């Protein structure tokens, strides 16, 4: 199963903000129970949506400047980016069905752009 890449401050800009298309960013922490519940769901989604969307993670404890820049106040926060700009956000552990719905909505919007 594909593992979701963990970004650092130095790579966030290139992989998320300067990218074209869709990127789902999971703001998480290692000690966060709900974050641990979401992690395997994201790994499965990364595999299922390969080539359609990029899914990455940012460790809240290690990269507070990224969280501050995007106003992240709680974890897990899942933020959808389109062409480097945030376009959607959900806070808290979400079931796979809800995350698929969020992703599918933005993939459909990409096709219609």
């Amino acid at each position: 199963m594909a593992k979701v890449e963990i970004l650092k401050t130095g790579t966030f800009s290139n992989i998320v903000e300067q990218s074209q298309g869709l990127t789902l960013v999971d703001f998480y922490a290692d000690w966060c129970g709900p974050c641990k519940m979401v992690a395997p769901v994201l790994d499965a989604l990364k595999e299922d949506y390969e080539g359609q969307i990029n899914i990455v993670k940012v460790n809240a404890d290690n990269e507070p400047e990224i969280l501050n820049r995007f106003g992240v106040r709680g974890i897990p926060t899942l933020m959808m980016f389109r062409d480097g700009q945030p376009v959607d956000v959900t806070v808290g552990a979400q079931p796979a069905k809800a995350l698929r719905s969020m992703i599918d909505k933005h993939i459909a919007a990409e096709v219609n752009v």
Side-chain angles (χ1 to χ4, degrees), residues 13-23 82-84:
S13 179
N14 288 342
I15 293 176
V16 178
E17 295 178 296
Q18 295 177 19
S19 72
Q20 295 298 305
L22 297 171
T23 303
R82 176 183 287 119
D83 299 334

Side-chain angles (χ1 to χ4, degrees), residues 47-108:
E47 195 168 294
D48 292 347
Y49 286 96
E50 187 70 36
Q52 298 176 72
I53 181 172
N54 192 20
I55 300 175
V56 296
K57 298 171 86 165
V58 172
N59 186 311
D61 292 330
N62 297 341
E63 310 300 334
E65 61 282 351
I66 297 174
L67 276 72
N68 288 338
R69 189 168 358 141
F70 294 102
V72 175
R73 299 287 176 247
I75 54 172
T77 291
L78 293 117
M79 190 173 293
M80 181 69 73
F81 288 77
R82 176 183 287 119
D83 299 334
Q85 299 299 313
V87 293
D88 203 353
V89 66
T90 185
V91 179
Q94 303 295 320
K97 185 176 180 179
L99 293 175
R100 283 184 186 282
S101 177
M102 179 183 186
I103 291 168
D104 290 342
K105 173 179 76 172
H106 289 285
I107 288 174

Side-chain angles (χ1 to χ4, degrees), residues 3-20:
K3 293 294 272 182
V4 174
E5 180 182 4
I6 299 170
L7 302 182
K8 304 223 181 271
T9 301
T11 57
F12 185 86
S13 179
N14 288 342
I15 293 176
V16 178
E17 295 178 296
Q18 295 177 19
S19 72
Q20 295 298 305

